Amino acid sequence: MSHKLSVVIPVWCTEATLDRCVSSVVSQDYAPIEVILVDDGSPDDCPRLCDQWAARDSRVSAIHQSNGGLSAARNAGIAAAGGDYITFVDSDDYLALGTYRQLMQRLEERPDIDLLEFPVCQFYGSRRQRMLCFPDEREYRDMQAYWYEAEAWSHAYACNKVFKRSLFSCVRFPVGICFEDIHTLPLLLAEASLVATANQGLYYYCANPLGITATADGHRLSMLLAPHADIIRKSRRRDAAFSRYYMHVLNIQMDVCELTGQEPILPYIPQPTKALRGLPKLKAMLLNRLGIKRLSVINSMIHKIWRNH
């Protein structure tokens, strides 16, 4: 028996791309699917387009609510979802044909999988475009291994994953918080017993020069930093995978210090330098000698000099 898949699509000011997005979902060759469009008080033509889709296709429903942000829209979709599994699509993105059929076939064969991650074309349509693939399908019962060794922290997107709906029994996206995915994925992993990656399917994450990632200021970057710093604070790992993660979060911390003037919240943990080369090695050496605060000051000074020339 095929399991039902709920596809939640938050909608806000995307009248130019909404039809492309929804068409890519309703054209999937997987029958037991429901599509939940959540109009988050969009001031453009999106509310009408959502209603048109709901009238045109019995698998599509439209929810209209006052603007509460991406998390609030996703949460409304979760509350309305009736599927055994749930996934998310942003309304300026779209899917390759056949994606859900291939993924759901894997989940039919392996009902013990709680979360299945699949390939994504990142920043599609821009000079930053690149593929995130999983050529070796892997399974993780150790969520720490998934976070650090598979570097899930670098692709914590909600949209390139299919979740058992039961994972959301006690989990919701944080309303009013930017970079909500990095706040939410660790909570979902705490509920999961088995995470897997797939080499089938493709999600097109389209470049948006006006999106949060491209325009984040110091306040918003602080929201990105906080969950990472909390994870590092609680971690007891000190291997190479941890070091890669730590140096990534250190970059965010330095940007926050530069943009806000706030004191660092990332715990100071000296990093091994033997295996590093070039700029990463220099950064780790300065971290070990100077600490985070003074390293951030130097980083800010270099940026000022660079901007003035």
Side-chain angles (χ1 to χ4, degrees):
M1 179 180 177
S2 296
H3 291 293
K4 187 176 183 180
L5 175 65
S6 298
V7 184
V8 175
I9 306 178
V11 179
W12 165 259
C13 290
T14 51
E15 63 182 15
T17 58
L18 181 59
D19 282 344
R20 179 187 67 179
C21 172
V22 181
S23 292
S24 77
V25 175
V26 299
S27 299
Q28 296 291 311
D29 51 351
Y30 184 74
I33 191 173
E34 67 172 358
V35 183
I36 304 169
L37 302 176
V38 184
D39 161 37
D40 193 42
S42 188
D44 59 0
D45 202 33
C46 283
R48 184 183 65 82
L49 294 174
C50 289
D51 288 338
Q52 280 187 346
W53 273 108
R56 185 186 316 165
D57 193 317
S58 61
R59 299 170 297 171
V60 180
S61 61
I63 297 173
H64 301 280
Q65 62 183 31
S66 57
N67 181 245
L70 178 59
S71 288
R74 284 179 177 169
N75 291 343
I78 293 169
D84 305 290
Y85 292 88
I86 188 168
T87 190
F88 303 91
V89 181
D90 287 345
S91 55
D92 50 359
D93 300 335
Y94 66 101
L95 291 151
L97 291 175
T99 291
Y100 289 152
R101 174 182 51 78
Q102 297 174 87
L103 297 173
M104 294 307 295
Q105 181 177 345
R106 172 93 176 272
L107 292 170
E108 297 284 349
E109 296 169 353
R110 292 294 307 278
D112 53 335
I113 295 174
D114 297 306
L115 185 161
L116 182 60
E117 182 172 20
F118 60 97
V120 54
C121 183
Q122 299 169 305
F123 309 110
Y124 178 70
S126 75
R127 288 183 295 178
R128 298 173 62 196
Q129 178 176 320
R130 61 179 181 267
M131 287 293 299
L132 171 66
C133 296
F134 307 96
D136 298 322
E137 294 187 338
R138 296 282 305 276
E139 295 183 0
Y140 301 88
R141 296 190 182 276
D142 180 354
M143 298 303 120
Q144 292 277 311
Y146 176 62
W147 186 259
Y148 289 105
E149 295 159 27
E151 298 187 355
W153 50 264
S154 69
H155 42 89
Y157 319 119
C159 293
N160 73 320
K161 299 171 179 67
V162 178
F163 307 88
K164 274 187 180 173
R165 188 165 62 93
S166 58
L167 292 183
F168 287 93
S169 295
C170 299
V171 175
R172 290 295 185 271
F173 291 92
V175 176
I177 299 292
C178 298
F179 300 103
E180 56 286 314
D181 291 350
I182 201 66
H183 287 260
T184 309
L185 182 58
L187 301 178
L188 294 168
L189 294 181
E191 300 293 322
S193 298
L194 180 60
V195 169
T197 57
N199 57 22
Q200 303 94 12
L202 183 60
Y203 184 95
Y204 287 94
Y205 170 24
C206 298
N208 182 359
L210 300 178
I212 294 294
T213 303
T215 62
D217 56 14
H219 174 65
R220 288 174 171 176
L221 283 178
S222 295
M223 298 183 195
L224 173 62
L225 173 64
H228 285 304
D230 188 54
I231 290 170
I232 286 175
R233 195 175 297 114
K234 296 174 181 176
S235 178
R236 295 294 177 265
R237 292 180 67 124
R238 294 296 182 268
D239 57 2
F242 174 84
S243 186
R244 288 192 296 272
Y245 180 46
Y246 185 89
M247 295 303 289
H248 168 79
V249 180
L250 176 64
N251 288 334
I252 302 172
Q253 175 65 86
M254 290 192 298
D255 287 342
V256 170
C257 286
E258 179 178 358
L259 293 169
T260 68
Q262 296 172 356
E263 292 288 312
I265 65 169
L266 179 66
Y268 169 61
I269 302 174
Q271 295 299 301
T273 61
K274 187 175 181 180
L276 299 175
R277 297 289 184 273
L279 184 58
K281 182 170 185 142
L282 175 61
K283 189 176 295 184
M285 291 173 63
L286 290 173
L287 168 71
N288 296 346
R289 181 175 294 271
L290 302 175
I292 297 175
K293 185 173 182 179
R294 285 191 287 174
L295 175 59
S296 297
V297 171
I298 291 173
N299 181 66
S300 180
M301 290 173 59
I302 291 172
H303 285 172
K304 287 180 182 177
I305 294 171
W306 181 266
R307 284 192 294 266
N308 291 332
H309 286 78

